[in-house]
Amino acid sequence: MTETDGKRRPPLGMREITAVGSGLGTFILVDSIMMYSALEMNLSGGKDFSLLAQALALLLLAFGLGGFLAWKMTGFTRLYGVGLMCGWTFMTLFSLGFCTGLNS
């Protein structure tokens, strides 16, 4: 096995943490706006409805745009895409799937 030289790969800095945090925060903000009305309707005992449109839009944002940025771009935008995907995962686990439309 070959070892990687410590000088070739610098440690994580604030730039990387900020990029991933920005993607995570953006996804949480968009998710909160999209799912607010759906959760309000569900809590108030409204009619049975489907969250399929919201779930597909959030999946497209997280893994469509986020995956594209992580695959094709470099630097800040690559880590921003990783943050979008991490945001979807965090919100799914944190809300048991309610905020991402997986569990209604």
Side-chain angles (χ1 to χ4, degrees):
M1 295 183 89
T2 61
E3 291 185 31
T4 57
D5 187 15
K7 294 179 184 176
R8 288 179 38 200
R9 176 171 272 178
L12 288 176
M14 282 306 293
R15 181 177 182 268
E16 289 83 8
I17 295 170
T18 303
V20 174
S22 297
L24 185 95
T26 301
F27 184 83
I28 290 173
L29 178 69
V30 170
D31 184 33
S32 300
I33 292 169
M34 285 185 70
M35 297 306 285
Y36 176 75
S37 63
L39 289 175
E40 277 293 316
M41 182 178 271
N42 193 14
L43 291 176
S44 66
K47 293 181 180 178
D48 196 26
F49 60 95
S50 175
L51 296 177
L52 185 63
Q54 286 99 332
L56 289 176
L58 291 171
L59 274 172
L60 185 64
L61 172 70
F63 294 104
L65 178 62
F68 173 75
L69 292 175
W71 180 47
K72 286 286 190 183
M73 301 296 172
T74 60
F76 186 88
T77 53
R78 172 174 283 189
L79 295 171
Y80 185 81
V82 170
L84 286 172
M85 293 185 279
C86 289
W88 185 88
T89 305
F90 172 75
M91 288 303 288
T92 300
L93 294 175
F94 181 72
S95 70
L96 302 174
F98 287 107
C99 288
T100 52
L102 294 181
N103 190 9
S104 58

